[in-house]
Amino acid sequence: MSKVMVVTSGKGGVGKTTSSAALGAALAQAGQNVVLVDFDVGLRNLDLILGAERRVVFDLVNVVQGDAKLPQALIRDKRVETLHLLPASQTRDKDALTPEGVERVIGELRERFDWIVCDSPAGIEKGATLAMRHADLAVVVANPEVSSVRDSDRIIGMLDSKTRRAEAGEKMEKHLLLTRYDAGRASRGEMMKVEDVLEILAIPLLGVVSESPDVLTASNLGFPVTLHNPAAPAARAYSVAAKKLLGEEVRAEPAAKRGLMSRLFGRRAAA
Amino acid sequence: MPLPLQALRNSPPPIVHVRGRSFMALALAPEPPLAAWFVELDEHLAGAAGLFTNRPMVVDLSLAAAEGRDAVLILLDGLESRGFRIIGLEGASPGLLEHTHWERLPTQLYGREAPTPVNAAPPRIGGELIEGPVRSGQSVVCEAGDVTIVGAVASGAEVIAGGSIHIYGALRGRAIAGIREGAQARIFCSRMEAEMVGVDRLYRTAENWGAQLHGRAVQVRSDRGALRISALD
């Protein structure tokens, strides 16, 4: 049974693409057959984060418009065999996507993959609505700050009204992924707390990814963070999130920084 | 050249006054197959005899236009024969009604879009009950009566009611009560974090009420021409 999952947020720069790549890679590492679909036509990024930018020949727009066959456009990851990318076009814009074409491509992908992860562009316009249109479940990425949370709230409203499932009167499964979280700053009141965000958005929490230099390092090297440094806290948060998506019971890891004891003993051990 | 102020003051008062007024009109969007649609319409009418006679009506032809010009003409005659007063048409392509007596009807209509249904609860008599949060960007409009919301109203969302508004949750967006009922309407919410509240043409934004009300259960009402916000707890 294939699942179409949209990773969306409304606001830009909150970590949609990073999260798509990390979750997709983690699902693939768990043995699932995964395709990452970059819906950000015109501003494609997912190929860079997967280190596949020099292997792109055909893209989503070519397949949607019927200029290329799906297998010609799919790029298989060199590190995880079951991870694939359907890249976006950098030279076209979102108007090149048609609802009928997207529906056909999603249908074809459903026959080949267990998970179809759609990386949504920012905004609430055509690109974002097409990315969420056929989703079975949604991961809403938000940062702990008011503008991101309000935009996510708007996107949740659209997920509940503009998607196929919503129009058919079915329930749309939604999960919150809180990224760039800093427990220290949250406890000092400089940042929204996890509970504050959950209270406003009122959807189940999939995971909390702490602000971490590992994420940027991995992206710049063309690695999803879960592949580059699986032991990093951010990578672990994504792996746990992927396990939750697969229906495994996992205890959420606390997002807290190292405690006093671990700091003391950690330093002594290093000395 | 701009007129000197003195000349403006001395000019006679204008005789023609152009004013904007809004009216309520019903909107119908007939869907093909039209025969079946008329059967359903007649069933509705039989259940509400007289409710629709002489009501102004705007007909949205965007769906029916696909059936062709003749079908549209039969449709409009059919509506008129049932007592509807058609005052405007929407969704008709320019040439569709050429050389018919429908041609003179306005086709450029400006109005507020019908509110998007939130969690699609069927409208209840005299009011509406909304389950679950009202999300940013959503708008709940119920001109018929009270609106009750079980859940929060997000920042950037709005609730507009003909009567009172009851929110069992945090109000973080806008709430406007009393569109029909006027000064008697009130707003109740179990947690006040609103951006704006209004009752009967009076409104206030968040910067106009004190921090001591923030986060508390409050009621908002119109009291002798002033908006009064008071804590309930």
Side-chain angles (χ1 to χ4, degrees), chain A residues 8-16 19 122-124 139-157 176-181 191-192 196-198 200-201 203, chain B residues 135-136 154-155:
Chain A
T8 186
S9 71
K11 192 169 160 62
V14 296
K16 280 182 299 297
S19 298
I124 53 171
V139 171
V140 178
V141 183
N143 292 164
E145 47 112 5
V146 283
S147 58
S148 167
V149 171
R150 184 161 80 178
D151 290 359
S152 293
D153 195 57
R154 176 94 213 253
I155 279 288
I156 296 171
L176 174 66
L177 190 64
L178 198 59
T179 56
R180 316 189 96 161
Y181 188 71
M191 197 182 245
M192 287 175 88
D196 301 339
V197 179
L198 280 174
I200 291 177
L201 295 181
I203 58 172
Chain B
R135 302 281 181 187
S136 184
S155 159

Side-chain angles (χ1 to χ4, degrees), chain B residues 29-40 63-65 67-68 71-72 74-75:
Chain B
E31 297 171 32
L34 292 172
W37 186 83
F38 267 115
V39 170
E40 202 167 312
L63 296 167
E67 300 288 283
V72 168
I74 294 170
L75 164 73

Side-chain angles (χ1 to χ4, degrees), chain A residues 158-190:
Chain A
M158 294 178 73
L159 286 165
D160 283 335
S161 60
K162 298 258 159 81
T163 53
R164 256 268 149 88
R165 265 179 178 259
E167 284 174 10
E170 291 169 50
K171 212 168 161 57
M172 182 82 193
E173 199 184 314
K174 299 170 291 283
H175 301 276
L176 174 66
L177 190 64
L178 198 59
T179 56
R180 316 189 96 161
Y181 188 71
D182 186 328
R185 295 190 62 188
S187 67
R188 288 196 297 275
E190 298 166 5

Side-chain angles (χ1 to χ4, degrees), chain B residues 1-8:
Chain B
M1 204 185 90
L3 281 169
L5 201 58
Q6 206 52 43
L8 265 181

